[in-house]
Amino acid sequence: MQRDMRAVCDKHGITVCAFYPLGAPYLEIRTEEHPPLVEHPLVAKIASQRGKTTAQILLRHLIQHGLIVIPKSVRVERVKKNFQVFDFELSAEEMAQLDTLNRDGAGRMFTCDFYKGFERHPEYPF
Ligand SMILES: NC(=O)c1ccc[n+]([C@@H]2O[C@H](COP(=O)([O-])OP(=O)(O)OC[C@H]3O[C@@H](n4cnc5c(N)ncnc54)[C@H](OP(=O)(O)O)[C@@H]3O)[C@@H](O)[C@H]2O)c1
C-alpha cells in the first residue's frame, strides 16, 4: 500500500488513487500463501460476517484509508455491487486485520520497469 509515499502525499494534500484496487485478480500470481485478494480467507471471513462481497470489503478498506478507488468490471451486477460500499464502516480491528495483507514492495504488480531508464529518475523509486 506504499505507506511512505502515501504519508508524503498526505503531508502535501495530494489525494492518491489506488492502482488495481481489487488487486487485479486476473494478474495476481496464485500461491497457497498469497491467494488473490478477492478470494483471500481473511477478506472472505470479514465479508461473510458483514454480509458483503470480498470486493466490497477490499474497496471499503482502501476508502477508509483515504484512497480513491476505480474498480473495473465488465459485469453489470459487479459494477452495481462495487458501488455499495458507503452503507457500512469497517471497525478499527477489521482495518488492522486487513492491513496485515499489505506486502509492500513484494506485492507490487506494476513496477513501470518497461520504461527504459526509469530507475535513473532522481526520485526513483518514488
Ligand atoms: N492507465 C493505466 O495504465 C491503467 C493500468 C491499469 C489499470 N488502470 C485503470 O485502473 C482501474 C482498475 O484496474 P484493473 O481493472 O486492472 O484492476 P482491478 O479493478 O483491481 O481489477 C479488475 C478485475 O477484477 C474483477 N472484478 C471486478 N469486480 C469484481 C468483484 N466484485 N468480484 C471479483 N472480481 C471482480 C474484474 O473482472 P470482471 O471484469 O470479469 O468482473 C477484473 O478482472 C481501471 O479503471 C483501469 O482503467 C489504468
Side-chain angles (χ1 to χ4, degrees), residues 4-21:
D4 292 349
M5 190 271 289
R6 278 172 35 224
V8 172
C9 289
D10 276 353
K11 191 174 154 193
H12 296 284
I14 299 167
T15 307
V16 176
C17 181
F19 206 82
Y20 302 146

Side-chain angles (χ1 to χ4, degrees), residues 22 53 55-56 59 71-85:
L22 296 173
T53 67
Q56 288 167 334
L59 296 173
K72 167 260 161 192
S73 177
V74 296
R75 306 179 210 206
V76 172
E77 276 317 303
R78 280 184 174 175
V79 172
K80 285 182 187 165
K81 281 194 174 163
N82 289 348
F83 268 108
Q84 290 161 14
V85 290

Side-chain angles (χ1 to χ4, degrees), residues 10-11 13 16-17 37 39 43 46 48-49 55 70 72 76 79 88 90 105 113 124:
D10 276 353
K11 191 174 154 193
V16 176
C17 181
L37 288 173
E39 296 173 23
V43 183
I46 295 173
S48 154
Q49 288 166 347
I70 310 176
K72 167 260 161 192
V76 172
V79 172
F88 74 109
L90 294 167
D113 55 5
Y124 179 84

